[in-house]
Amino acid sequence: MTSTPGNRRRTCQARPPSRRYLQTRLRAIYDAAVSIIGELQRARQLALAAKEEAAKELLLSLMEEIEREDRDDLALEVFAQLGEIYLTRTAYDGTRECLQRMSDCLAKYPDTDHMVARFTLRARFLRTGLAAAAGDHEEAAAELAGLQADEAAHRFADLAPEQHHLATLAAVLCATALCDDDLHVPAATLWQNIIPVVEGLTDGTDEADQLLVAAGIAYGRFCVETGRLAEGDEWLRRAGARAQRRGWQLYWARAELETAAATWLRGDHESTERLVGSAYPVIAEHSRANDVARCWLYFGLTRLGVGWLKEADESWGHAELQWRELGRPLYIHRILMQRSWISVFRGDFAAAVQQVTEAREFLDSWPRSSWLQYARLDDHLGSIWRADALADLNFDGIGDPSNDDWQQLQERQVASLGVTRFDVGSERHRSALAKLEKAADLKIPAALAVDSVRYAMTDADARWRWASQVSARMLAGAFSVAWEWENDALLSELIEYHCARGTFANEPRGEAGGWDAPATVTVPVETWDEEALAAGGFVVDALTQTTLGALPPLQMEPDGSPILVRYRLLAQNRYGQAVTSDAPVWSTWP
């Protein structure tokens, strides 16, 4: 058969490719893969430096070439990195989309595949972060446990370091989310496992430094919020220094912000202003809405500290706007309570009550709200009623909302001597006493409930921090409102309660060991002398201060009822906190 030109062309095309062609093609594929891997590493570096927008654009630009080369492993790496970027920037729908793409791709391969094992770990990390960010702490804990127990490291030994890194980083996300919801007790359990890992980091790899900086800032914040200021300072300095050495300016700025929170608690307003002022431009440039809002919160506090009421209110208005856009009910409720102080200073008590009412609605809408948050809210509402009563008594520091402008209000605050002027028995005096009674009904049960928590703390340092930093201010407010109400009997009962404090026992009863634990029932020691020795740290018949227990009910008069009985009942009904034990009544008269 004679070959036609067309036949010859088909025969030529059917020949196997030459060796040179194969070598050229394989080299091109290799070079393309190496180039993509290099770009993926560059995107990772950009993300670590908080340049997420540039990293995202770079990753998306690689997808066309990855699809052309048919490299599912590289596509999975892109989706994993994008998912983490979206998680960091709170663009959670983007993270979910990346997770779906990863799941669809992984479903095509057997479970024993190395690539499947590696990216299953990355997917578990993203799911843990999503659950934590949504406040679903139980789901986050389950995902974290799955990430920690994944058998990938047993099947492929080279995946063990990556699994360990991802699990620790995910635990940091979970602990941070718990602190965001004021759940510091379960967060403390996570930190007990995280900190030894971070302290054991020796190399300066990207992964090690990422973990050191992320954990250092988050744990530093946890320490500040729980009163461990010295420990928090140490971790924040370490994290900030590492971030600065790496050129990770956002994380340096975040460490500055958390340090500012610590300086505020110490009463150093000047350092707080300086630290927040240096951190804010960097945080704002990177559009971190939650941190931007927290900067405005501290700007407002420092401005209030120097009497700039208008500027403080404007600052808190910026913070509230950010948190409303983020949809953070717990934070919105806090800033509304903060802003209500400006209404109090202006003498606009109806507006202050309305702000607290709205704050309560946001707290009601948050499924993780706690009795402590409600106790603090009630205490604050009681403070508003107390201020309203003081206005009736012509307190010289409260403004007139119908006449005073911001300048006049500021001048009034500066000139205030903190005195009242009123006629005993006048209509304004009677009105003030009625409002102080309402304030007492709110403030005293809240103070008793919060103070009762220290009875459950076996750790002396934790007990001191709670007493000095949480319950002391509320107890002081309870004493103040009782004195201003001119209720000498109530004031005497509060003094008796405060002086008696708690009991000592050598055998703990019930559950005692957490900041949110209920008051425990304990057996008092035999004599006052032994109790005093035990309190001083001496041993009396093997008795030591192992447990500080709630007091039994106290009775001051032979024919009277136990003290504070009405307010203790309110504390039990409102907050579920038993202020006294079930032990027999103690008599306190001579």
Side-chain angles (χ1 to χ4, degrees), residues 332-409:
I332 299 170
H333 119 271
R334 289 173 182 164
I335 200 64
L336 284 169
M337 289 175 63
Q338 199 69 51
R339 296 193 73 183
S340 69
W341 279 117
I342 303 297
S343 299
V344 169
F345 295 143
R346 297 185 68 185
D348 192 350
F349 303 110
V353 170
Q354 178 57 40
Q355 286 169 310
V356 173
T357 301
E358 188 179 1
R360 188 182 297 274
E361 291 171 356
F362 277 103
L363 195 58
D364 290 342
S365 71
W366 186 243
R368 302 289 173 175
S369 57
S370 69
W371 72 266
L372 176 59
Q373 291 159 345
Y374 282 102
R376 283 174 160 163
L377 191 145
D378 286 342
D379 173 71
H380 181 64
L381 182 58
S383 295
I384 295 173
W385 280 108
R386 178 192 172 199
D388 195 354
L390 291 176
D392 285 345
L393 300 177
N394 291 316
F395 182 74
D396 66 350
I398 292 178
D400 182 351
S402 62
N403 295 319
D404 291 351
D405 58 20
W406 287 109
Q407 183 61 34
Q408 291 171 318
L409 180 61

Side-chain angles (χ1 to χ4, degrees), residues 64 72 91 135 200 204 367 387 512 540 580 585:
E64 184 177 350
D72 283 351
V540 182
T580 56
V585 175

Side-chain angles (χ1 to χ4, degrees), residues 1 123 181 202 265 287 290 310 324 334 340 369 395 437:
M1 175 178 170
D181 286 349
T202 55
L265 290 178
S287 302
N290 185 52
K310 180 181 179 182
R324 284 185 182 274
R334 289 173 182 164
S340 69
S369 57
F395 182 74
E437 183 176 4

Side-chain angles (χ1 to χ4, degrees), residues 328-541:
R328 302 290 292 271
L330 194 58
Y331 285 83
I332 299 170
H333 119 271
R334 289 173 182 164
I335 200 64
L336 284 169
M337 289 175 63
Q338 199 69 51
R339 296 193 73 183
S340 69
W341 279 117
I342 303 297
S343 299
V344 169
F345 295 143
R346 297 185 68 185
D348 192 350
F349 303 110
V353 170
Q354 178 57 40
Q355 286 169 310
V356 173
T357 301
E358 188 179 1
R360 188 182 297 274
E361 291 171 356
F362 277 103
L363 195 58
D364 290 342
S365 71
W366 186 243
R368 302 289 173 175
S369 57
S370 69
W371 72 266
L372 176 59
Q373 291 159 345
Y374 282 102
R376 283 174 160 163
L377 191 145
D378 286 342
D379 173 71
H380 181 64
L381 182 58
S383 295
I384 295 173
W385 280 108
R386 178 192 172 199
D388 195 354
L390 291 176
D392 285 345
L393 300 177
N394 291 316
F395 182 74
D396 66 350
I398 292 178
D400 182 351
S402 62
N403 295 319
D404 291 351
D405 58 20
W406 287 109
Q407 183 61 34
Q408 291 171 318
L409 180 61
Q410 183 172 323
E411 291 172 355
R412 183 190 292 269
Q413 291 289 320
V414 171
S416 171
L417 298 176
V419 298
T420 57
R421 296 180 178 88
F422 62 94
D423 296 326
V424 176
S426 65
E427 182 179 347
R428 291 178 66 91
H429 181 228
R430 291 194 300 272
S431 173
L433 294 183
K435 292 173 182 177
L436 287 167
E437 183 176 4
K438 291 181 180 179
D441 280 352
L442 290 162
K443 294 181 72 67
I444 294 176
L448 293 176
V450 170
D451 187 58
S452 70
V453 173
R454 62 186 169 86
Y455 298 139
M457 297 179 179
T458 57
D459 180 76
D461 287 340
R463 190 163 58 247
W464 174 83
R465 285 193 299 272
W466 183 274
S468 62
Q469 299 174 23
V470 182
S471 63
R473 182 189 62 81
M474 296 178 71
L475 276 174
F479 273 89
S480 297
V481 77
W483 180 77
E484 290 158 352
W485 185 18
E486 304 171 12
N487 191 329
D488 294 339
L490 175 59
L491 188 61
S492 299
E493 291 182 3
L494 284 171
I495 292 172
E496 191 72 23
Y497 164 81
H498 187 66
C499 291
R501 311 295 283 180
T503 65
F504 296 104
N506 56 357
E507 291 296 334
R509 299 287 185 91
E511 183 67 26
W515 295 322
D516 60 347
T520 55
V521 178
T522 57
V523 179
V525 294
E526 292 295 328
T527 68
W528 289 102
D529 292 337
E530 287 185 352
E531 179 180 337
L533 289 173
F538 297 95
V539 176
V540 182
D541 295 332

